[in-house]
């Protein structure tokens, strides 16, 4: 705001967050039934963009079977006590970028 006493003008600053990219992709994981399977990837920057994990086409959430962690630029998915039904493609998506294992 600029105020000269008898006149005033105001402007607004709008910021756009630069898109994060995936700089460390997912790696394939082999586990025994009943063990945990851990998937990790790293982004180019910390971001407020929506990041989502998938098993096949099913979006995953943190619950008693899955643990999703974000520590700075590192995003992790832990599939707890995997079973044969957990076999398949795991993917991580942020913005327009995807990594799969």
């Amino acid at each position: 705001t600029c105020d000269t006493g008898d006149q005033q003008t105001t402007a607004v600053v709008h910021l756009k967050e630069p898109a994060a990219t995936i700089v460390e992709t997912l790696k394939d994981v082999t586990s025994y039934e009943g063990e945990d399977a851990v998937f990790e990837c790293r982004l180019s920057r910390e971001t407020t963009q929506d990041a989502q994990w998938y098993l096949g086409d099913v979006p995953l959430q943190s619950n008693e079977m899955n643990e999703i962690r974000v520590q700075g630029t590192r995003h992790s998915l832990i599939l707890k006590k995997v079973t044969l039904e957990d076999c398949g493609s795991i993917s991580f998506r942020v913005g327009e970028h995807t990594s799969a294992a």
Side-chain angles (χ1 to χ4, degrees):
T1 300
C2 178
D3 190 340
T4 63
D6 59 342
Q7 291 183 331
Q8 188 179 49
T9 184
T10 302
V12 177
V13 175
H14 296 278
L15 298 176
K16 292 184 179 181
E17 180 182 21
T21 59
I22 299 171
V23 295
E24 187 178 308
T25 59
L26 295 175
K27 309 282 188 278
D28 293 342
V29 172
T30 301
S31 294
Y32 289 102
E33 194 168 17
E35 291 182 342
D36 292 350
V38 180
F39 297 88
E40 291 185 333
C41 66
R42 191 169 54 85
L43 301 181
S44 58
R45 59 188 308 281
E46 291 185 31
T47 181
T48 58
Q49 287 177 275
D50 288 334
Q52 181 66 57
W53 289 95
Y54 294 86
L55 174 57
D57 292 330
V58 178
L60 300 175
Q61 304 296 325
S62 276
N63 56 36
E64 64 279 349
M65 297 167 48
N66 312 308
E67 183 178 342
I68 295 173
R69 294 182 189 166
V70 179
Q71 296 170 321
T73 60
R74 185 161 303 281
H75 291 250
S76 305
L77 168 67
I78 302 168
L79 298 179
K80 297 178 182 178
K81 299 179 181 173
V82 294
T83 65
L84 293 176
E85 289 77 32
D86 294 319
C87 289
S89 177
I90 294 289
S91 59
F92 175 80
R93 297 178 194 159
V94 61
E96 298 178 9
H97 304 281
T98 302
S99 181

